[in-house]
Amino acid sequence: MLEDANSTGEPDHAGKASVEIPEQLQTLRQRLAAWRAGIVGGLGIGARLRQLIRRRESWLVLLAVIVGAAAGLVVIVLRDLAYALQRVLYDLPDEQRLSALHSLPLHLALMPAAGGIILGVAMLFLRRRKSRYVDLVEANALHGGKLSMVDSLIITAQTVVSNGFGASVGLEAAYTQMGGGLASKLGDIFQLRRGDMRKLVGCGAAGAIAAAFGAPLTGAFYAFELIIGTYTIATLTPVVAASIAAVLVASLFGQGEPIVSITQAINIGLPQIVLIVLCGFATGGVGILLMRLVGLIEAAFSGLKIPTWARPAIGGTIVGCLALVTPAVLSAGHGALEHAFVAPPLPIILALLIVCLKIVASAVSLGSGFRGGLFFASLFLGAILGQAFYWLAAYIDPGLFPDPSVPMLVGMAGLAAAIVGGPLTMAFLALETSGSLPLTVAVLVAAVASSMLVRETFGYSFTTWRFHLRGETIRSAHDVGWMRNLTVGKMMRRDVKSVPDRITFKEFRRLYPLGAATRVIAVRDDGRYAGLIDVADAYGEGVDDDTLSVQAVLQYREVMLHPAMGANDAEALFEKHSADALVVVSDLAERKVIGTLTEAHLLRRYAEELEKARADLAA
């Protein structure tokens, strides 16, 4: 019988404490787990809710309304934060917008550089994070709508600082990131299926854009075209419900009004359509120029070996210098756009100068490391290009466009469709702004012409172009993540048959008579892959000499798969070498055999996953 180590015979309080503390911690952990389960699924409520959401569309719509309302609140908070920052830093009156200033004092031109310094310091603190900061399009295309809330908060904070200090970027990226992030977190709580999660993330983005522009249909089609990647009956109700909820919430706080209001009635005939198509092509070309310029500036910073953390300060200095010429280049351009629609059109030379300066400012801001988007910047640039187009049309015939707001709206739609990538989004923005169906048709013509030019000659919107610069091949938000997940490692067979590569045909035939196996792997003395043996070849003509080694019939000596290879890449390798089966090695350098994969099995698994994706799309 064991006795206490305490010589006095008293209880060992120290030993008792060392036992009780872990038990207390374990009890506390169990209570926390029970509390969490009570929130999410206590008494079976959470499980029943998950089942209802999966089985009944109406419950998913309810979640979409909640997400839309939350996105509307997010837009209000972020917009007020950015505007408050601008008012403090630039000493603006309450109703004054930064980009609408007539001139900028010299000392305030340093504000974008100060914002760049803050971002640079933040980069130094965040450089240990391994995250790639996934945005909504990438999340829906590759990760089934999964977003990190921490990453979303970091992106949002960086965007607010960038916009608040005057960098030439918009807040729409922050709006949609937080709207989609909240939707993803809610979907994660309810363990939504991949298809439903993607829809809910689209609802978050739709609500954010709808609240930002006071346009529910614009927000809905932004989600369809850019975030979800397709339009179906199943996505219509939740996305539209989220957009309407977001606009209603924004209106409760006195926000959510359209960015401009156009009431001019117009007649669109053949001459106007021809000019609008030309305007669409022109704005498409400007959009391509801007997107390429961002990549060139990023490459220039890299080529000059400038540290990543120092780039925003340099970019901010350049933006500040441009702002001394015209403050219209600062921030996204809300104030400058509103002023452009109420003031007489600018002279054509001045309009083109502002366009050039704004393009450079936006490209430098993004290329140097500021966070933000080009949605509103493209609207402002398009409107000023529309003023230049107005003067050109007036030179041909003053009666073609009596109101300059018409070509301005056409220019907005054309350039935004080129950069953002949503022609129907722009058409509905025109409809909700003007209420004019003829003007909506004109805008749609310009947006389609611009989009067609970009697709034919460039192939990317700004979001997908950024993916391309990073080495990704995503062209849209269509769900291709299942293809990335369908890897060789998940499809291969691990029960491999192998022999030394120096074994004789006589010994090989003894081990593997006809019918015992179809293929056998030959390995070297060090275990490295040597080649693949088709058993039938070991019994064919020309191998009568039993003393010969099987090296004479080895196939695909240098052709191997590895576990991380995707289905598309693997199929391309099968096709290139006309192979029915290939060996899978752990590493192409070490060549250690871990399995085999046949082309027939790969194609069957690919077809099964494709059918699942089609079923989700049609649901």
Side-chain angles (χ1 to χ4, degrees), residues 515-533:
T518 304
R519 302 172 190 87
V520 178
I521 300 167
V523 295
R524 299 173 184 170
D525 294 338
D526 58 2
R528 292 161 60 88
Y529 171 66
L532 192 65
I533 304 169

Side-chain angles (χ1 to χ4, degrees), residues 1 10 152 170 179 210 273 279 307 358 360 370 401 411 425 432 570 611:
M1 187 173 179
E10 296 179 358
S152 296
I273 289 294
C279 182
K358 181 65 174 178
V360 173
F370 283 98
F401 295 109
T425 302
E432 293 178 295
E611 186 59 33

Side-chain angles (χ1 to χ4, degrees), residues 311-475:
R311 296 175 188 177
I314 298 172
T317 303
I318 296 172
V319 172
C321 293
L322 296 174
L324 292 174
V325 181
T326 172
V329 304
L330 293 174
S331 190
H334 284 80
L337 179 64
E338 292 172 2
H339 179 74
F341 271 94
V342 297
L346 297 170
I348 187 170
I349 298 300
L350 181 57
L352 293 176
L353 174 63
I354 291 176
V355 167
C356 292
L357 293 177
K358 181 65 174 178
I359 287 175
V360 173
S362 296
V364 167
S365 296
L366 292 169
S368 62
F370 283 98
R371 282 279 184 182
L374 289 177
F375 195 129
F376 204 95
S378 65
L379 295 176
F380 170 62
L381 280 169
I384 303 302
L385 278 173
Q387 289 189 348
F389 183 72
Y390 166 76
W391 290 116
L392 291 175
Y395 178 77
I396 299 172
D397 183 355
L400 286 174
F401 295 109
D403 186 351
S405 62
V406 174
M408 288 173 67
L409 197 60
V410 167
M412 286 170 57
L415 189 55
I419 293 176
V420 178
L424 283 176
T425 302
M426 298 304 115
F428 279 105
L429 180 61
L431 178 61
E432 293 178 295
T433 298
S434 67
S436 170
L437 185 59
L439 182 57
T440 302
V441 172
V443 164
L444 184 58
V445 169
V448 168
S450 175
S451 297
M452 184 180 70
L453 178 70
V454 172
R455 286 199 313 274
E456 290 290 329
T457 61
F458 190 62
Y460 301 92
S461 66
F462 178 68
T463 300
T464 53
W465 173 239
R466 301 281 282 174
F467 293 146
H468 172 74
L469 294 177
R470 209 169 63 198
E472 288 283 0
T473 56
I474 305 170
R475 291 300 184 102

Side-chain angles (χ1 to χ4, degrees), residues 31 64 71 80 85 115 120 145 161 163 182-183 259 326 339 377 395 421 439 450 463 539 548:
R31 289 179 179 177
D80 287 347
L85 196 56
V161 170
N163 183 274
L182 291 171
I259 51 174
T326 172
H339 179 74
Y395 178 77
L439 182 57
S450 175
T463 300
Y539 290 86
L548 290 176

Side-chain angles (χ1 to χ4, degrees), residues 123-138:
M123 289 178 184
L124 289 176
F125 279 104
L126 295 171
R127 62 184 176 181
R128 293 182 180 179
R129 286 181 58 84
K130 303 299 183 182
S131 177
R132 290 176 48 242
Y133 300 107
V134 174
D135 73 354
L136 270 68
V137 174
E138 186 176 3

Side-chain angles (χ1 to χ4, degrees), residues 550-611:
V550 295
Q551 289 183 346
V553 294
L554 292 185
Q555 300 176 337
Y556 314 120
R557 298 169 185 255
E558 301 299 327
V559 185
M560 297 159 283
L561 304 172
H562 59 85
M565 184 178 288
N568 286 340
D569 294 334
E571 173 55 25
L573 208 58
F574 279 113
E575 183 70 23
K576 179 180 179 180
H577 297 281
S578 301
D580 295 324
L582 289 174
V583 167
V584 184
V585 295
S586 59
D587 183 87
L588 294 179
E590 296 181 358
R591 299 168 65 113
K592 299 295 184 181
V593 178
I594 59 174
T596 59
L597 179 65
T598 65
E599 185 181 29
H601 182 66
L602 183 149
L603 294 176
R604 182 167 62 253
R605 289 284 291 113
Y606 187 91
E608 290 172 356
E609 294 298 326
L610 183 61
E611 186 59 33

